[in-house]
Amino acid sequence: MTKLTIIIPTFNEEEFIAQAIRSAAFADEILIIDSYSEDRTLEIAGQHTVTVCQREFDDFSSQKNYAIDQARHDWIFILDADEVIMPGLREEIISELLKEDTCSAYEVGTVRMFMGREMQYGTAKNDTKTLLFNRKHCRFGNKLVHENLVVKGKTGALKNHIMHYTYRGFDHFIGKKNHYAWLQAREMFATGKKANLFHILVKPAFRFFSEYILKRGFMDGFPGFVSAYINSYGVMTRYIKLWLLQHKQK
């Protein structure tokens, strides 16, 4: 089989890191790229056969590109610390890497667990990411958040999925949205975009309507409402932060 490195980015992931590592144990190398965690993440990771490198976090794309350069093998799978490779996906990856004719990269479906519920509607529906790839043909672009993998060649799709545990407490979830909002605001500010009342008042409302009504987030019960509401909050704070950057405030 072609050798595989699974890269796991971490920062204060003590709650989930062990299960992520266990699900990645079939790989030839597990590489932890840590942003100087302040909890027990590295202590727990050290109980497993992993390689650890540390780097100050600046943005998601740079962090992952740095880790890709440290990997021992050309085939890479990016696994967030709050994600788990399900058994079916593990077997599919092994089977795919045994083939002589492979794509440059592969999209993988995501099942999202939120507030104890497996989400099936809203933004969780048809959620896929390009996670398995050959680094000879792929590199992350310059987006600071929701980073995009630039692929030279054909992208295939795997049938099985990862499980993503997106919720570990309300304060953490809000903090994550605020962190993403600052990165997105910086990205927009760098391209000359400006925030106005339309962005702050209308776009968040439409985001909620789109996720909760058009994409039927209401079918996921109360967690579906919370997800749509907090995601609309994330849109609002993104543009508020952009306005603050425009006016040299924090």
Side-chain angles (χ1 to χ4, degrees):
M1 184 182 85
T2 302
K3 295 197 177 216
L4 172 70
T5 292
I6 294 182
I7 293 173
I8 306 178
T10 59
F11 177 69
N12 293 346
E13 300 286 356
E14 64 181 7
E15 184 175 351
F16 292 119
I17 186 61
Q19 67 180 15
I21 291 173
R22 285 194 296 268
S23 79
F26 68 97
D28 301 281
E29 178 190 29
I30 299 174
L31 176 61
I32 306 291
I33 172 65
D34 183 70
S35 304
Y36 293 95
S37 290
E38 299 164 345
D39 63 358
R40 296 180 60 244
T41 296
L42 294 187
E43 177 189 338
I44 295 169
Q47 298 169 9
H48 304 267
T49 304
V50 300
T51 301
V52 175
C53 59
Q54 289 185 295
R55 179 181 184 272
E56 288 285 354
F57 181 87
D58 46 6
D59 62 76
F60 290 100
S61 294
S62 298
Q63 198 78 348
K64 290 179 179 178
N65 282 332
Y66 175 83
I68 289 168
D69 290 337
Q70 311 310 307
R72 294 205 304 263
H73 309 300
D74 287 332
W75 275 97
I76 306 290
F77 190 100
I78 302 288
L79 181 70
D80 285 348
D82 57 359
E83 295 174 340
V84 169
I85 297 173
M86 303 304 287
L89 178 59
R90 177 189 66 219
E91 299 306 317
E92 191 176 7
I93 292 170
I94 293 171
S95 175
E96 200 65 33
L97 294 184
L98 284 171
K99 297 178 180 178
E100 291 184 9
D101 184 21
T102 59
C103 298
S104 297
Y106 294 88
E107 292 183 346
V108 178
T110 301
V111 174
R112 186 159 61 100
M113 292 295 296
F114 181 70
M115 296 177 65
R117 183 185 182 111
E118 183 178 313
M119 307 290 278
Q120 299 179 12
Y121 299 92
T123 55
K125 190 174 182 179
N126 301 321
D127 185 12
T128 62
K129 297 185 286 186
T130 306
L131 299 176
L132 176 66
F133 57 91
N134 188 323
R135 68 178 172 186
K136 291 180 179 178
H137 310 295
C138 304
R139 195 81 177 169
F140 283 97
N142 56 8
K143 293 184 69 174
L144 302 185
V145 66
H146 300 312
E147 57 281 13
N148 60 311
L149 187 70
V150 179
V151 179
K152 295 180 180 178
K154 184 179 178 181
T155 299
L158 301 182
K159 296 177 181 178
N160 290 279
H161 62 267
I162 57 172
M163 186 71 73
H164 187 189
Y165 295 88
T166 59
Y167 184 82
R168 68 191 69 178
F170 190 76
D171 289 342
H172 175 271
F173 193 59
I174 292 292
K176 191 173 181 179
K177 287 295 176 185
N178 280 324
H179 178 57
Y180 284 178
W182 271 120
L183 291 172
Q184 290 168 320
R186 281 171 46 201
E187 193 171 71
M188 290 189 292
F189 182 71
T191 62
K193 292 184 179 179
K194 297 185 181 298
N196 54 44
L197 284 178
F198 171 81
H199 296 123
I200 295 171
L201 296 177
V202 178
K203 291 200 75 165
F206 182 76
R207 174 57 186 265
F208 179 85
F209 177 77
S210 173
E211 182 173 341
Y212 194 64
I213 303 299
L214 298 181
K215 296 180 180 178
R216 298 197 295 168
F218 62 88
M219 297 287 288
D220 283 322
F222 185 64
F225 172 82
V226 174
S227 176
Y229 188 85
I230 298 303
N231 283 334
S232 67
Y233 162 82
V235 174
M236 180 186 68
T237 54
R238 179 193 316 163
Y239 286 103
I240 289 174
K241 292 174 193 300
L242 176 58
W243 185 93
L244 291 172
L245 289 173
Q246 290 169 210
H247 294 82
K248 298 181 172 56
Q249 299 183 47
K250 290 185 178 181

